[in-house]
Amino acid sequence: MLKKLKFYLIGFLPGLIIVFFILNKKGASCSYFPNDRVIGESMTKEVSIPTALKAQLASQNIDAKYLKDSIIAKGAIDFDKSQAQKQPFPEYYMTSPEKNPKYELTYEKTKDSVVIKTFKKLN
């Protein structure tokens, strides 16, 4: 029994170290919490901003890239205020950043894009 455990550890530990370094370099993550899953899926889609909101965002020097990379990526979804089961597309309410929020927004997650519905800068 001790011999089997020794052979197991001889293979398992180096394998674990190799996998850790390979996945760490690729930036892989394995978070299955609902907030992380929704934001992760939203980050793979193109951000679409309606014309009415473009002027508001431009006045605050916020473009689509900043909105996606800094606001949505660091946000927290409030599932109580969201309509995650809405058909045909779910609508999410988000505050960003997660701690001490400065922005709140709602967006609709379509098949190919994230459509910003409302955007508000908090005090």
Side-chain angles (χ1 to χ4, degrees):
M1 176 72 174
L2 193 57
K3 192 173 188 180
K4 287 181 183 180
L5 182 62
K6 183 174 129 181
F7 281 123
Y8 175 77
L9 290 176
I10 287 173
F12 180 73
L13 292 177
L16 185 66
I17 292 169
I18 290 170
V19 168
F20 176 75
F21 283 112
I22 289 172
L23 292 179
N24 196 24
K25 286 183 182 178
K26 291 186 178 188
S29 66
C30 55
S31 180
Y32 293 103
F33 293 113
N35 187 64
D36 296 334
R37 286 181 28 211
V38 170
I39 291 175
E41 187 177 341
S42 299
M43 294 299 294
T44 63
K45 300 176 186 283
E46 181 180 328
V47 173
S48 175
I49 303 170
T51 309
L53 279 177
K54 283 186 181 181
Q56 177 188 353
L57 293 174
S59 69
Q60 297 176 17
N61 294 326
I62 297 173
D63 61 350
K65 182 171 176 32
Y66 180 79
L67 185 67
K68 181 178 179 181
D69 295 342
S70 296
I71 296 176
I72 293 175
K74 296 177 182 173
I77 306 277
D78 185 343
F79 286 98
D80 292 334
K81 294 181 181 179
S82 298
Q83 298 174 359
Q85 303 301 321
K86 183 180 171 192
Q87 292 297 326
F89 305 113
E91 193 170 299
Y92 296 100
Y93 173 85
M94 168 185 274
T95 56
S96 181
E98 195 168 349
K99 295 179 181 177
N100 301 321
K102 295 179 184 175
Y103 306 102
E104 70 178 21
L105 62 125
T106 58
Y107 68 88
E108 189 175 73
K109 189 174 65 168
T110 67
K111 182 180 177 186
D112 300 321
S113 66
V114 169
V115 181
I116 306 300
K117 295 290 198 176
T118 63
F119 182 86
K120 181 179 173 186
K121 187 170 185 177
L122 303 173
N123 294 333

